[in-house]
Amino acid sequence: MSSNSIKRASALLTSFALLGAVVSGCGNGGNSEASSPPASSSSASNPASTEAASPSASANPEKKIKLEVIETGNNLPPPDQDIIKKELDKALNVDFNLTVYASGDDYKNQLNVRMASGNFPDLFALDRQQLIEFSKQGLLLDLTPYMDRLKQVSTFIGEENVKKGAVGGKVYAISKSSQIPYNTYFIRKDWLDSLNLEVPKTIEDLKTVAAAFTNDDPDKNGKKDTFGLTGAELNGAFAPVFGAFGVGSPGSVYEKDGKLVNALYDPAMKDALAFIKDMIATGSVDPELLANTAMQHQEKAFKGQAGIIWIDWPNMTKENMIEQIKAVNPKAEWIQIEPPAGPAGKFDGSWEIGNTPGRYAIPKALEKDPEKLQRVFDLLNYVSDPKTGSLLVQFGVEGMHFTKDGDKIVMTDKAGEVGYSWLYQFTGRPEMSYLQTKFVPQAEFIKFAGDQPRIQTLNGFVDLPEGYVASDADRYIKEELAKFAYGQRDLGEYDKFLKTLETTMKYKLFMDAAQEQLTALGYGNK
């Protein structure tokens, strides 16, 4: 562990220790209804992580309790066909009622209506902004004094993820365990072979190969109908190039030489933009790069129009994708490559470590029903237990949907029956092992993508300040960087761009908030 990591861990532990002391002090004062665990639960007075991980941790495990959970999702089967529900009902002695909404907007509206009317679900997903708003309104249960009854959850998701559910130093939501990066450059090896070229090792190699793919007829059809690089917008095509200059994705914040740096203010950003401008000027980049939406860049790659693409492994290596590629050109061979090196080494773009794939909160009103509250804790601990509930929500029922070969999980031909089990992964999953188990033919691609070095960005830890409109600033950043990259605005005006961003777009508010909040978390303090 680095010294900075140790400092951050110490700061976090100190924070929780102080919170615990405060809670303890309030309890002794006899005025602690809002912050102390309910006294009626047996495990509240004698918490133990091993008990908490077991369904038997409830005060009265013989009593069946109804639990309602809502979130976004799809493909949930009816309750009478829901195998995961039936297993959770048996394990926890509950009548589980999960409702999912396919539309994120519909879900958000439904949740807002229910929270406003006092019709609270027992557990529900929410985004960071809702977490902040609902916690300020006093609608969410402060989990801080209950964390000793959620030890299995804390162990499973890790302390770094625990703090992602915190607002003002108090934990109001359980955040899922972290995901892993999916994207890398893929390149047409058959085109490289056709032109007697090597896999590009540097960004200069990348520029050379992209130009050859554009000008030297790599598919040998006698037509100039190919180009080198495609992607989804500027960062979606050049993320590893920004990384080669040691620059994070535009607008991201990260540590560099022990200090907090915003990519837009990183001195290397102008160097990266100058390289990208030169590469675009060669004509080797998809001319519709900025207009690509959805998976248009993938379609171009599949059709044989482009030979290099920065994309996630599922959209290049899953069986149905391979079929589409081969349907157009049976000889097409896409390979995954390491990020090309540049002046600052090589990084396969940025990876946001402050984000979480999901958060779940419990309404404060549930503290008045300690039996049900404990059963919600039981649920969260159970699906976080790597020996029982976590296996259920990852892979289904042992012996039916998977078997064990030592420590190795082997899926059976019935695994498809519980393909929706991710809806029950309320605390997440061990991403690498999960993916490699579920997608065996893609296991090497998954590991390769996960192993590549990334610039770790921190924006997910920053709550946006009042008065700052991120959408306006983001749009302005995207538009102006595109102008620099396409030579429509001289890079000599870069400082003027930053000045406008700080003032007209109020970016200074974000910069100050990021500095203050990230420093408080121990980042940039070397």
Side-chain angles (χ1 to χ4, degrees):
M1 180 181 289
S2 68
S3 60
N4 208 38
S5 298
I6 293 172
K7 281 193 291 184
R8 285 197 287 273
S10 298
L12 184 64
L13 291 172
T14 301
S15 174
F16 281 114
L18 288 172
L19 284 169
V22 170
V23 170
S24 176
C26 290
N28 291 338
N31 186 26
S32 58
E33 183 179 354
S35 57
S36 295
S40 57
S41 170
S42 60
S43 58
S45 59
N46 184 27
S49 60
T50 52
E51 279 188 73
S54 164
S56 64
S58 289
N60 182 7
E62 301 301 320
K63 179 181 178 182
K64 183 181 284 292
I65 291 180
K66 291 186 177 181
L67 292 185
E68 184 191 16
V69 182
I70 64 172
E71 61 181 351
T72 57
N74 50 55
N75 296 326
L76 181 70
D80 62 341
Q81 299 173 29
D82 186 343
I83 298 169
I84 304 298
K85 166 190 159 51
K86 292 177 181 176
E87 293 298 317
L88 289 175
D89 284 352
K90 284 191 296 184
L92 300 165
N93 197 21
V94 296
D95 180 4
F96 203 93
N97 177 15
L98 175 63
T99 302
V100 300
Y101 295 81
S103 164
D105 288 340
D106 286 348
Y107 173 73
K108 192 170 185 176
N109 291 335
Q110 285 289 333
L111 180 60
N112 286 338
V113 168
R114 293 192 62 167
M115 297 301 283
S117 63
N119 181 20
F120 305 114
D122 301 313
L123 183 71
F124 52 92
L126 72 178
D127 62 28
R128 179 70 190 175
Q129 195 58 40
Q130 290 171 313
L131 173 65
I132 295 171
E133 292 174 1
F134 291 155
S135 63
K136 286 181 177 177
Q137 294 169 23
L139 297 176
L140 304 183
L141 182 65
D142 175 10
L143 298 173
T144 313
Y146 296 93
M147 292 309 293
D148 59 352
R149 290 158 63 181
L150 290 164
K151 285 185 177 178
Q152 185 61 55
V153 173
S154 299
T155 300
F156 185 72
I157 67 175
E159 291 296 339
E160 285 292 311
N161 288 305
V162 169
K163 64 184 177 184
K164 294 176 186 175
V167 177
K170 295 180 178 178
V171 178
Y172 286 101
I174 297 299
S175 300
K176 287 187 175 184
S177 55
S178 300
Q179 294 182 309
I180 57 176
Y182 283 18
N183 279 43
T184 59
Y185 270 143
F186 282 78
I187 193 168
R188 282 285 294 267
K189 184 176 183 303
D190 55 312
W191 284 12
L192 289 172
D193 294 341
S194 169
L195 300 177
N196 293 317
L197 295 170
E198 300 292 330
V199 170
K201 300 293 186 186
T202 68
I203 54 174
E204 292 296 338
D205 293 343
L206 182 76
K207 185 192 294 185
T208 299
V209 169
F213 281 0
T214 304
N215 301 315
D216 298 343
D217 194 17
D219 56 4
K220 302 302 181 187
N221 68 353
K223 301 177 183 177
K224 193 173 187 302
D225 57 356
T226 58
F227 47 81
L229 176 67
T230 188
E233 301 188 347
L234 203 62
N235 189 57
F238 292 103
V241 173
F242 284 116
F245 284 90
V247 177
S249 56
S252 62
V253 181
Y254 45 91
E255 285 185 317
K256 194 170 189 177
D257 299 327
K259 305 296 182 185
L260 289 172
V261 175
N262 183 305
L264 297 173
Y265 293 79
D266 191 322
M269 173 57 86
K270 283 195 283 188
D271 297 333
L273 287 173
F275 180 88
I276 292 169
K277 176 186 172 185
D278 288 345
M279 188 165 168
I280 290 173
T282 67
S284 64
V285 178
D286 180 0
E288 299 173 331
L289 186 73
L290 301 182
N292 284 337
T293 58
M295 299 306 291
Q296 287 181 318
H297 55 306
Q298 181 210 43
E299 293 174 12
K300 292 173 181 176
F302 283 14
K303 289 178 180 177
Q305 297 173 340
I308 308 170
I309 184 172
W310 194 68
I311 195 170
D312 58 292
W313 60 262
N315 276 305
M316 290 298 287
T317 66
K318 292 179 77 170
E319 289 82 350
N320 59 329
M321 298 300 165
I322 297 294
E323 289 177 6
Q324 292 181 44
I325 292 171
K326 296 300 183 184
V328 176
N329 185 350
K331 296 182 179 179
E333 182 182 2
W334 287 94
I335 61 171
Q336 210 173 14
I337 66 170
E338 295 180 357
K346 57 181 184 181
F347 295 95
D348 219 332
S350 304
W351 180 246
E352 175 55 54
I353 64 171
N355 284 345
T356 173
R359 297 181 178 87
Y360 291 85
I362 299 170
K364 180 176 174 56
L366 206 59
E367 66 184 353
K368 296 178 181 177
D369 189 343
E371 282 190 321
K372 176 176 281 193
L373 178 59
Q374 181 57 47
R375 212 62 68 90
V376 176
F377 291 162
D378 292 345
L379 167 68
L380 293 170
N381 281 315
Y382 186 63
V383 298
S384 303
D385 188 334
K387 295 182 179 178
T388 55
S390 180
L391 291 178
L392 172 68
V393 299
Q394 287 183 74
F395 308 117
V397 180
E398 184 175 358
M400 182 184 299
H401 304 113
F402 73 92
T403 58
K404 289 182 179 178
D405 180 7
D407 293 332
K408 184 180 179 182
I409 302 294
V410 180
M411 307 303 296
T412 71
D413 56 6
K414 293 186 177 180
E417 292 180 351
V418 289
Y420 62 90
S421 68
W422 60 275
L423 294 167
Y424 288 91
Q425 295 167 2
F426 304 120
T427 57
R429 60 204 187 196
E431 192 73 354
M432 180 63 78
S433 61
Y434 171 82
L435 292 174
Q436 289 188 307
T437 301
K438 282 289 185 84
F439 305 100
V440 174
Q442 290 77 33
E444 291 186 10
F445 299 109
I446 297 167
K447 185 176 188 308
F448 188 93
D451 285 347
Q452 300 312 305
R454 316 270 171 170
I455 295 173
Q456 295 190 338
T457 57
L458 308 167
N459 295 54
F461 291 119
V462 180
D463 293 329
L464 301 181
E466 292 186 10
Y468 171 66
V469 182
S471 57
D472 290 348
D474 291 345
R475 183 175 59 252
Y476 179 70
I477 292 169
K478 186 180 295 185
E479 290 173 350
E480 297 309 304
L481 291 191
K483 291 178 183 176
F484 289 128
Y486 280 84
Q488 296 171 354
R489 186 173 183 181
D490 192 273
L491 273 169
E493 294 188 13
Y494 190 83
D495 291 345
K496 185 184 291 186
F497 149 68
L498 290 180
K499 186 68 175 178
T500 303
L501 183 63
E502 289 177 6
T503 53
T504 306
M505 299 296 161
K506 299 182 179 180
Y507 202 63
K508 185 71 163 48
L509 290 174
F510 170 73
M511 294 281 288
D512 292 343
Q515 184 71 43
E516 179 182 352
Q517 294 175 35
L518 293 174
T519 300
L521 290 174
Y523 292 106
N525 292 333
K526 287 182 180 175

